[in-house]
Amino acid sequence: MAEHRLWLDIARARRGGLDLVLVGQAILAQHDRLGAQIAEASARQPWGGDDIGRTFERAYRGSEASLLRVWANAGEYLAGLGAEVTRAVAGSEDADAASARRIGAVG
């Protein structure tokens, strides 16, 4: 039956959750900094205002918005996932402690 037991390395899982939060925050920080630079540069429409420039503008604007949105969503998702992992680890620890108290009370 030992092969059916669940073993959780609490410290490793907690660190993994924290790492996910930090990665998500780093992605968001890059998005905030570089994304703003991208938006600022493209607002100047360096491709020009002639027919080719206007055609490029129409095609580019939606792609830029999608990229910036997906970039921010990825950072938010990873940070949120890390927070959920951390909460799950804490919940597992709390459940183990409660079980130990109940078993101790029986003995």
Side-chain angles (χ1 to χ4, degrees):
M1 291 297 281
E3 68 274 2
H4 293 102
R5 294 174 60 180
L6 176 65
W7 180 76
L8 175 64
D9 183 336
I10 295 289
R12 188 173 184 183
R14 184 180 294 117
R15 181 64 202 172
L18 178 58
D19 286 347
L20 285 169
V21 169
L22 294 174
V23 166
Q25 290 173 344
I27 288 171
L28 286 169
Q30 289 294 319
H31 168 269
D32 292 347
R33 187 174 62 80
L34 295 175
Q37 290 174 0
I38 290 168
E40 180 183 328
S42 73
R44 288 186 238 121
Q45 298 181 353
W47 40 83
D50 59 3
D51 288 344
I52 294 172
R54 286 191 301 274
T55 300
F56 181 85
E57 168 72 18
R58 282 191 302 273
Y60 174 80
R61 201 53 61 196
S63 296
E64 178 190 71
S66 292
L67 169 72
L68 294 174
R69 184 177 54 256
V70 167
W71 191 356
N73 288 347
E76 291 168 1
Y77 177 80
L78 288 171
L81 179 61
E84 289 299 319
V85 167
T86 302
R87 279 192 283 279
V89 169
S92 178
E93 284 183 301
D94 292 346
D96 282 350
S99 294
R101 283 191 302 276
R102 283 193 300 273
I103 290 171
V106 171

